[in-house]
Amino acid sequence: MVINCLNIFRRGLHTSSARLQVIQSATPTKRICIVGAGPAGFYAAQLILKQLDNCVVDVVEKLPVPFGLVRFGVAPDHPEVKNVINTFTKTAEHPRLRYYGNISLGTDVSLRELRDRYHAVLLTYGADQDRQLELENEQLDNVISARKFVAWYNGLPGAENLAPDLSGRDVTIVGQGNVAVDVARMLLSPLDALKTTDTTEYALEALSRSQVERVHLVGRRGPLQAAFTIKELREMLKLPNVDTRWRTEDFSGIDMQLDKLQRPRKRLTELMLKSLKEQGRSSGSKQFLPIFLRAPKAIAPGEMEFSVTELHQEAAVPTSSTERLPSHLILRSIGYKSTCVDTGIKFDTRRGRVHNIDGRILKDDATGEVDPGLYVAGWLGTGPTGVIVTTMNGAFAVAKTICDDINTNALDTSSVKPGYDADGKRVVTWDGWQRINDVESAAGKTKGKPREKIVNIEEMLRVAGV
């Protein structure tokens, strides 16, 4: 084992030296820094490296490990979605890209410092907070965010101590997006199906003791406004030993509107109606209970109260009627939001994103004046919307904007920029990440899993050789 680690370390040193020689020999005149090693960051780097020959791209990431939501947000039982990591790895191994892990913007380095050292800075550090219900008792121990729950079973450092209480029968998830459905599926899936995924061992152990039998998935609006997609619903309907129970009254008149719907929405609605028609034909010990037209009103020990809503021009308007649901555990899943990590960022605190026009960050949002050389992509710029393909298209568009600004001299790249100075910092290079990856993969192999993630940052740094 020691000899193998030494060989990995020597291989990393050789690769790093070769990469540094290529970068130095090319004497690039254009330096671009991307802050955030998630999907938006890697997709942007891919296009920039393809379109700009005489450039170096440095990726700065606050965690020692890359890939952002692909590693920490995608459900463990969706390995096909994680295959995009192969594409990101090819980009990261480009001789004109350098990876700086364990460097946090606003703490280890300021935006001003990065702007002084690069011709362009692209912010892609994502959305790491969740929106609140803003109800009394929301701070009770049995009320947590779906974001934190996902981080818990996916091994995000710092989330391992969440300890969700799964000793009760009923879980209520507030929100009906794909994240909410992912969480419901994780709670209701057979444990054996999860043992072959990269779900963390501590989460598997907790789920093995789970007493959860019913998961309520509650939304403010109706079936025609459901935010989950057909793929996620199909997976729920196919779960063994799980009955999906719809409320017939939620679908009153829905079949009469099918012909007016666009194809994706029509197919999703048809699947819900088909499931509604077939429910009761089988029985399972667990239940998945989607509930529409309910708005959160109050939280009490062991239950949650909702206002019955009506739709007015697709907006959910609460009525005087209410309903209470048994809720041993409450998971809110009503959206993510970004945070401002540096005072140099023009941040929209109300919307939880950076002020920008087409990826160009604004210097003055009142006049629309842009701040030359400063860009944003991904959820930090758009808000939390869409899937990975949406992020890819948005990142490509912003990356093309950067290339166009450089090629048309709208952005001055005539001065020499030194790039990031990592001296004295505990930086994880790409080769350091590869050492972490090798150790995780080896640990997972012994358990029949793709990997066993390291969840402690100090342990990551030790393995990386930092």
Side-chain angles (χ1 to χ4, degrees), residues 131-145:
R131 299 190 181 279
Q132 304 286 309
L133 295 170
E134 298 181 355
L135 295 176
E136 189 177 351
N137 294 330
E138 191 170 354
Q139 305 309 315
L140 291 174
D141 290 342
N142 70 320
V143 183
I144 60 178
S145 74

Side-chain angles (χ1 to χ4, degrees), residues 26-262:
T27 58
T29 59
K30 305 173 187 68
R31 289 192 179 272
I32 299 162
C33 181
I34 297 176
V35 181
F42 272 110
Y43 280 127
Q46 178 184 335
L47 188 137
I48 290 169
L49 290 167
K50 182 178 180 180
Q51 292 205 354
L52 290 179
D53 292 332
N54 197 17
C55 76
V56 164
V57 175
D58 291 348
V59 177
V60 175
E61 165 60 43
K62 71 175 180 179
L63 291 172
V65 296
F67 307 136
L69 278 181
V70 177
R71 177 178 167 99
F72 297 117
V74 173
D77 58 348
H78 283 176
E80 73 285 353
V81 179
K82 298 188 181 188
N83 286 339
V84 73
I85 285 176
N86 298 327
T87 301
F88 296 162
T89 298
K90 289 180 181 178
T91 299
E93 292 174 346
H94 192 288
R96 289 188 283 113
L97 186 143
R98 298 181 297 189
Y99 174 76
Y100 294 96
N102 199 44
I103 298 297
S104 182
L105 177 63
T107 304
D108 299 306
V109 63
S110 69
L111 181 59
R112 182 68 269 165
E113 183 180 352
L114 291 181
R115 298 196 69 184
D116 289 342
R117 291 179 167 273
Y118 293 90
H119 296 106
V121 176
L122 170 60
L123 304 179
T124 65
Y125 62 78
D128 62 351
Q129 298 295 317
D130 57 279
R131 299 190 181 279
Q132 304 286 309
L133 295 170
E134 298 181 355
L135 295 176
E136 189 177 351
N137 294 330
E138 191 170 354
Q139 305 309 315
L140 291 174
D141 290 342
N142 70 320
V143 183
I144 60 178
S145 74
R147 177 187 63 82
K148 288 183 179 179
F149 190 78
V150 170
W152 171 74
Y153 63 65
N154 267 329
L156 178 69
E160 64 270 23
N161 298 319
L162 183 66
D165 185 356
L166 305 179
S167 64
R169 178 190 183 193
D170 288 273
V171 172
T172 295
I173 304 175
V174 182
Q176 293 183 327
N178 283 341
V179 172
V181 177
D182 281 347
V183 168
R185 192 176 65 256
M186 290 293 293
L187 287 167
L188 296 173
S189 287
L191 190 65
D192 286 344
L194 299 178
K195 286 182 177 178
T196 58
T197 71
D198 64 359
T199 305
T200 56
E201 280 299 303
Y202 61 75
L204 289 174
E205 197 277 330
L207 289 168
S208 73
R209 294 182 281 104
S210 172
Q211 299 299 308
V212 174
E213 295 180 0
R214 304 196 305 182
V215 175
H216 310 264
L217 191 82
V218 187
R220 294 172 179 268
R221 300 192 292 170
L224 295 182
Q225 292 78 35
F228 53 76
T229 56
I230 193 168
K231 176 180 181 294
E232 277 65 30
L233 178 58
R234 280 202 191 102
E235 290 177 332
M236 286 301 306
L237 296 178
K238 292 178 181 178
L239 277 185
N241 200 35
V242 176
D243 278 347
T244 298
R245 295 280 178 170
W246 309 91
R247 294 183 173 183
T248 304
E249 61 269 25
D250 287 347
F251 290 85
S252 177
I254 294 294
D255 57 340
M256 304 297 291
Q257 301 183 56
L258 284 175
D259 291 341
K260 303 174 185 177
L261 304 177
Q262 293 186 352

